[in-house]
Amino acid sequence: MATIKDVAKLAGVSICTVSRALADKNNIKPQTRERVLAAARELDYKPNFSARSLKIGSTNTLGLIVPDITNPYYPKVAKSIEEYAGRQGYMILLCNANEELEKEKRLVETLKKRNVDGVIVLPCSQHIDHIQSLEKSGIPYVFFNRSFSGERHCIPSDNYYGAYTMTKYVIENGHKKICAAFLSFDNPIYQERYEGTLAALREHGLQACAEQFLFNVRSIQDFYKRMLVLLGQPDRPTALVAANDMLCIGAYSAANACGLHVPEDLSVTGYDNIQFAEMMMPPLTSFLQSEDEMARTGVDYLLELIAGEQPEPPKQLRGRIIVRRSVCGPKG
């Protein structure tokens, strides 16, 4: 059975344009409308006219909820989503949960009242019932860079693979004393990155390194203090695999305070490849998730839901290492 994505591909337009053309909206060029209708006839496409996107009351607005706008990764994500959604005719209403579950719940209720056409969420925890309640209000949603058991509407990035690949890279550079640092596992991406890191260590018989892992890191300042203690030990690590790039700022500062140099005394890797990564001294080796690819996949998937389709859940997206100068072999 043909889907709205098939019609859009055949007509050479966006899913949003197909929705507007089938709804007989006024802001469609006659030749574009006819091209869409011809494609629909050729494919024998039967639209779901009960879908929100085909109603006159559509706001052409999508909500976007992020956990913490002060983390440079999330503005990076928001920019990709906003730019791609804008090309599809949608504006973004950006909401910051500030890593607070109760605030996230309030934001969901606010978006319901704003009558947005759909919502993209990067939840701050594994509690998602309030987000799933959007469906009862007739508002489609997708989880971005998240995976939840039994939940179809996810645009997942393979965080396990990313952490595994990064840790293996450090091991291949000769390191056997490897520390790793993670924020709270309430955010499932850090649980996934932990499991990927541990898998790489086990594969090389280095699982004992986990004894020096740092968990539930609350802030850069918190991490800085804990790294000072770790780097002051006689059997200190020679490499750090950090679960995001922001932690590496604390690692660089702690190494400097201990009279150590990156990467000669402490190799450091990050995750997310934020803009600051290449500006650090030395430039930080990090794992790049393709925000642009995730944005395209996520927005297209959400627009299909808005149009009343039931698209297949996307496959996990995989990123790649951006090698810079923060990693070298250990001394001695």
Side-chain angles (χ1 to χ4, degrees), residues 65 104-113 119 121 127-143 151 153:
I65 302 177
E104 187 177 86
K105 290 179 179 179
R106 293 195 298 271
L107 290 172
V108 168
E109 293 305 311
T110 298
L111 292 174
K112 288 179 183 178
K113 294 174 183 176
V119 178
V121 193
H127 302 284
I128 59 173
D129 289 353
H130 57 293
I131 299 166
Q132 293 170 320
S133 73
L134 285 163
E135 198 162 33
K136 295 180 181 178
S137 299
I139 302 176
Y141 64 87
V142 295
F143 293 108
E151 173 57 64
H153 304 323

Side-chain angles (χ1 to χ4, degrees), residues 220-291:
I220 296 175
Q221 293 77 10
D222 173 48
F223 184 55
Y224 168 77
K225 294 176 182 178
R226 294 168 71 178
M227 279 298 293
L228 286 178
V229 174
L230 189 60
L231 295 177
Q233 296 177 358
D235 194 30
R236 64 172 179 80
T238 61
L240 167 70
V241 177
N244 71 25
D245 288 346
M246 292 297 289
L247 294 180
C248 298
I249 298 173
Y252 275 44
S253 296
N256 182 65
C258 293
L260 303 175
H261 297 91
V262 176
E264 294 84 359
D265 301 303
L266 180 70
S267 288
V268 179
T269 67
Y271 204 111
D272 293 334
N273 195 45
I274 63 175
Q275 185 178 12
F276 299 143
E278 62 182 341
M279 300 177 187
M280 296 173 67
M281 291 301 294
L284 178 68
T285 293
S286 185
F287 194 83
L288 169 68
Q289 303 181 90
S290 179
E291 289 77 24

Side-chain angles (χ1 to χ4, degrees), residues 56-68:
I56 298 300
S58 175
T59 62
N60 289 107
T61 302
L62 305 177
L64 171 60
I65 302 177
V66 300
D68 180 8

